[in-house]
Amino acid sequence: MISKQTNVVILTGAGISAESGIRTFRDSNGLWENHRIEEVATPEGWQANPQLVWNFYQQRRRQLLEVKPNQGHEALVSLENHLQNFLLVTQNVDDLHERAGSKNLIHMHGELAKLRCEVCSHVEEMMEDEHLQETFLSCSKCEGRLRPHIVWFNEMPMQMPEIEKALSECDVFIAIGTSGHVYPAANFLHMARRHGAHTMGINLDPPENVYFFDEFIQGKAGEILPMLIEKWTQS
Ligand code: NAD
Ligand code: ZN
């Protein structure tokens, strides 16, 4: 199914990081680490209680120092190295894909490792000890308050034009570890299909949009991806 010339776009979600010990959303009844999504993942939540939201993301940021990429992340690096045209789009805000070695990567929902100025929008990676505490931090350019560099619900995902272009050109689209509930990512499958791509889903539970995939493999990303990708990269 895949040769060196095949143009591949991959979409990953929280499921690919589950085997590294980062909890997904849906597996905890729509709560994210015991918080309602509206409380910690919307601009309104930030306005209503910035300290609670800040503490929540500082916890998620500190957790990055305790986890490491798994075999699923690593297999995607082998696939990228084998192909001429490859794009990995992740909904994840952790940094496990880049730590595994993925290069052509878009974080459409932002990155925990970075903070953004509310005033001048300056973005900076800040992961030193002094950046991971409960006191707010201010911008090195303008002293404005920093917020998580995260796309909250009701905010615009990042780099959508690039993603849409890649979807319109790909031969194969593979969604991994994503429940198919969160838009616009859940639509990528349909966009790729419309342009004639072969579509594949890999997920622990059947996702919301399971019937639209040409192929669906149920199971753990960390077990399935190494086997599949070894087969593809040997041929
Ligand atoms: P989701 O939590 O809605 O769904 C995760 C899916 O992964 C589920 O369908 C589940 O069956 C599947 N899954 C669980 N373990 C798996 C495994 N080992 N292998 C394969 N599949 C597995 O996640 P989503 O679709 O990514 O959407 C939720 C949103 O939550 C995203 O926008 C993301 O920004 C945010 N989020 C990110 C992280 C992270 O960065 N690691 C963690 C939690 C939530
Ligand atoms: Zn600033």
Side-chain angles (χ1 to χ4, degrees):
M1 176 174 122
I2 294 204
S3 76
K4 284 188 173 124
Q5 287 74 36
T6 312
N7 184 328
V8 176
V9 175
I10 307 257
L11 170 69
T12 61
I16 196 165
S17 295
E19 289 160 81
S20 292
I22 302 182
R23 285 164 69 182
T24 66
F25 257 160
R26 311 287 150 185
D27 299 345
S28 34
N29 295 325
L31 294 183
W32 194 359
E33 302 281 348
N34 298 322
H35 289 277
R36 286 186 307 119
I37 305 304
E38 306 84 72
E39 217 170 56
V40 293
T42 61
E44 294 75 22
W46 171 245
Q47 262 153 26
N49 194 343
Q51 189 69 60
L52 177 114
V53 176
W54 180 252
N55 293 353
F56 174 80
Y57 285 98
Q58 290 299 67
Q59 267 177 34
R60 310 270 77 69
R61 281 157 48 73
R62 286 194 295 269
Q63 188 190 26
L64 293 183
L65 304 175
E66 288 156 22
V67 293
K68 50 182 190 3
N70 65 54
Q71 292 187 323
H73 299 102
E74 283 158 11
L76 292 181
V77 179
S78 315
L79 182 62
E80 176 169 12
N81 291 340
H82 181 72
L83 297 175
Q84 291 164 0
N85 286 296
F86 174 92
L87 175 66
L88 174 54
V89 180
T90 188
Q91 298 170 87
N92 294 346
V93 293
D94 66 53
D95 58 0
L96 296 179
H97 281 305
E98 53 270 45
R99 277 167 54 197
S102 289
K103 294 279 182 295
N104 203 17
L105 169 67
I106 293 180
H107 273 283
M108 64 177 289
H109 289 162
E111 294 170 68
L112 281 171
K114 296 179 180 170
L115 298 171
R116 180 167 87 238
C117 176
E118 287 189 285
V119 179
C120 75
S121 300
H122 172 69
V123 176
E124 206 170 313
E125 179 158 330
M126 297 176 89
M127 285 296 288
E128 299 303 321
D129 229 29
E130 75 253 36
H131 303 141
L132 298 171
Q133 311 303 320
E134 297 196 341
T135 36
F136 287 110
L137 295 169
S138 48
C139 174
S140 59
K141 305 273 179 222
C142 81
E143 302 282 301
R145 185 173 64 177
L146 297 180
R147 58 162 276 180
H149 185 49
I150 298 289
V151 177
W152 287 322
F153 287 95
N154 304 330
E155 294 184 322
M156 190 68 84
M158 294 173 186
Q159 294 177 263
M160 282 303 289
E162 271 171 84
I163 298 173
E164 286 175 13
K165 181 168 183 292
L167 288 169
S168 73
E169 292 169 352
C170 72
D171 306 307
V172 173
F173 170 80
I174 310 171
I176 304 161
T178 175
S179 60
H181 278 90
V182 179
Y183 285 84
N187 258 334
F188 293 174
L189 163 65
H190 302 290
M191 292 162 76
R193 277 175 70 93
R194 215 177 302 132
H195 293 285
H198 182 84
T199 57
M200 184 173 198
I202 298 170
N203 214 58
L204 192 56
D205 312 296
E208 183 79 359
N209 49 7
V210 63
Y211 299 110
F212 297 100
F213 287 99
D214 295 316
E215 277 180 82
F216 175 69
I217 305 179
Q218 186 161 0
K220 291 187 173 179
E223 293 170 5
I224 293 169
L225 286 173
M227 285 190 303
L228 264 184
I229 289 174
E230 198 190 332
K231 208 166 68 187
W232 291 339
T233 52
Q234 273 172 359
S235 55

